[in-house]
Amino acid sequence: MNSLQWDDVRYFLTLSREGSLSASARLLEVEHSTVARRVGNLEKTLKVKLFDRLARGWVLTREGVELSRQAESLEMEMLSLWRTALANTTLSGTVRLSAPPILMSDFLVPRLSSFQEKYREIELELIGESRGADLSRREADIALRMSEPKSPQLVARLLCNVNYKLYGVPAWLERPESERSFIGLDLRSGCWQKIWLEKYVSPRSYALRTNDIRAMYHAALSGIGMALLPRFMVAEDSRLVSIPMPKSPPPCPLYLVMHSDVRRAPRIRATADFLIDLVQSHAHNF
């Protein structure tokens, strides 16, 4: 019997969850042919057909469903082994950090040089994503999130509250409210910023909509309209001013989140401490 390869099992689990080669390949950052080959290898090793290859996607067979449950248990054991080993490492290696894209690009990246100078043996891998990375499955070691995690396996520390304000070029302050134009999130968005702003703004007042907050920022700079933006994004840009509104939007809490098994690992702890100090030293910008 051929030896069982953990990577084959890992690819099998990803495909069982995603249901398609293309989605699995994107998540694993490989070609879709690699996913198919790995799953095929596992089927040959186990001598079991795991998937029915259908036009609508790859569907688990009855045997595949049963084996996926056992594979998930094996995955949990492997991840536990990894976290235990990580806790005994030194101040070297890779740390994966997940954060909202705009926080990553506009706040973190410009301020990371001091971390690199202090911890030259730690390599940061930055993942800008709006969804919450699954820390239990090693998608990230540390996550900055705008909501408190619910899992008892995760530990979270509230760093600060992120405030949002309406920003525009100074000329908007001199225009009557009836002549003001706004930049909003696209109609398909269900996020709270869009819902909150539309309580105060007529649909006819929007000059532009987009699903990209950086595009909103540049549109505000160009004078197209006023945009609801996080304060840290605009705090050091004197070209935009805060536009008074009848009521301020609610602040969003920003949490630093780690898995409880890795929080004492030296390189994870050093990175987390740096992020805590960084955010707290710039709390006036949030």
Side-chain angles (χ1 to χ4, degrees), residues 77-133:
E77 292 295 325
M78 292 290 290
L79 291 171
S80 178
L81 176 66
W82 171 81
R83 288 192 292 265
T84 300
L86 182 62
N88 294 295
T89 58
T90 59
L91 284 168
S92 64
T94 301
V95 176
R96 291 168 60 88
L97 170 62
S98 168
I102 199 66
L103 182 67
M104 184 80 74
S105 63
D106 283 44
F107 179 75
L108 289 178
V109 171
R111 297 174 172 87
L112 288 178
S113 59
S114 60
F115 177 87
Q116 195 276 330
E117 291 172 3
K118 185 175 182 179
Y119 301 108
R120 292 190 176 276
E121 299 301 317
I122 297 178
E123 177 186 346
L124 287 180
E125 185 173 331
L126 306 180
I127 310 163
E129 55 187 354
S130 299
R131 73 179 186 90

Side-chain angles (χ1 to χ4, degrees), residues 44 81 93 110 113 116 140-141 166-167 181 192 208 210 216 252 270:
K44 290 176 183 177
L81 176 66
S113 59
Q116 195 276 330
D141 301 310
L166 190 68
Y167 289 99
S181 295
W192 73 264
L208 181 150
T210 176
M216 294 173 65
C252 290

Side-chain angles (χ1 to χ4, degrees), residues 29-284:
E29 298 181 345
V30 297
E31 297 294 330
H32 72 275
S33 57
T34 302
V35 180
R37 177 173 56 81
R38 286 287 191 174
V39 172
N41 289 345
L42 184 60
E43 288 181 323
K44 290 176 183 177
T45 300
L46 299 177
K47 295 182 172 56
V48 173
K49 184 179 181 182
L50 301 171
F51 291 94
D52 288 320
R53 281 73 163 166
L54 306 178
R56 66 177 185 275
W58 288 44
V59 180
L60 285 167
T61 62
R62 185 175 62 182
E63 296 81 3
V65 170
E66 178 60 32
L67 287 171
S68 70
R69 297 193 186 104
Q70 296 184 40
E72 285 179 346
S73 297
L74 178 60
E75 179 186 46
M76 291 297 103
E77 292 295 325
M78 292 290 290
L79 291 171
S80 178
L81 176 66
W82 171 81
R83 288 192 292 265
T84 300
L86 182 62
N88 294 295
T89 58
T90 59
L91 284 168
S92 64
T94 301
V95 176
R96 291 168 60 88
L97 170 62
S98 168
I102 199 66
L103 182 67
M104 184 80 74
S105 63
D106 283 44
F107 179 75
L108 289 178
V109 171
R111 297 174 172 87
L112 288 178
S113 59
S114 60
F115 177 87
Q116 195 276 330
E117 291 172 3
K118 185 175 182 179
Y119 301 108
R120 292 190 176 276
E121 299 301 317
I122 297 178
E123 177 186 346
L124 287 180
E125 185 173 331
L126 306 180
I127 310 163
E129 55 187 354
S130 299
R131 73 179 186 90
D134 191 336
L135 302 185
S136 297
R137 299 189 185 280
R138 285 189 58 192
E139 292 181 0
D141 301 310
I142 301 173
L144 296 179
R145 293 183 179 172
M146 307 292 276
S147 61
E148 187 174 10
K150 304 300 182 184
S151 171
Q153 295 179 317
L154 302 180
V155 292
R157 173 166 176 167
L158 177 63
L159 298 183
C160 68
N161 285 314
V162 179
N163 290 285
Y164 283 73
K165 292 182 178 294
L166 190 68
Y167 289 99
V169 294
W172 287 111
L173 291 170
E174 301 174 7
R175 306 260 309 255
E177 290 189 13
S178 60
E179 296 180 11
R180 290 180 175 180
S181 295
F182 295 83
I183 301 155
L185 290 160
D186 69 44
L187 293 171
R188 292 168 294 180
S189 173
C191 72
W192 73 264
Q193 294 97 326
K194 171 180 175 289
I195 296 170
W196 185 88
L197 187 60
E198 289 186 347
K199 292 179 181 178
Y200 302 96
V201 177
S202 164
R204 295 187 302 275
S205 300
Y206 285 96
L208 181 150
R209 291 182 184 268
T210 176
N211 65 349
D212 184 349
I213 194 167
R214 178 141 290 280
M216 294 173 65
Y217 169 76
H218 284 290
L221 277 177
S222 71
I224 290 175
M226 298 169 290
L228 191 63
L229 301 170
R231 186 179 173 190
F232 69 82
M233 191 178 184
V234 186
E236 298 178 0
D237 191 337
S238 60
R239 295 172 295 175
L240 293 177
V241 297
S242 175
I243 309 295
M245 289 200 71
K247 187 176 180 181
S248 297
C252 290
L254 177 64
Y255 291 92
L256 184 143
V257 186
M258 297 181 287
H259 196 284
S260 58
D261 288 350
V262 304
R263 59 178 171 168
R264 292 185 177 86
R267 69 175 183 262
I268 306 297
R269 187 70 260 168
T271 306
D273 288 343
F274 173 84
L275 293 170
I276 292 168
D277 291 342
L278 179 65
V279 172
Q280 292 183 343
S281 66
H282 290 81
H284 57 284

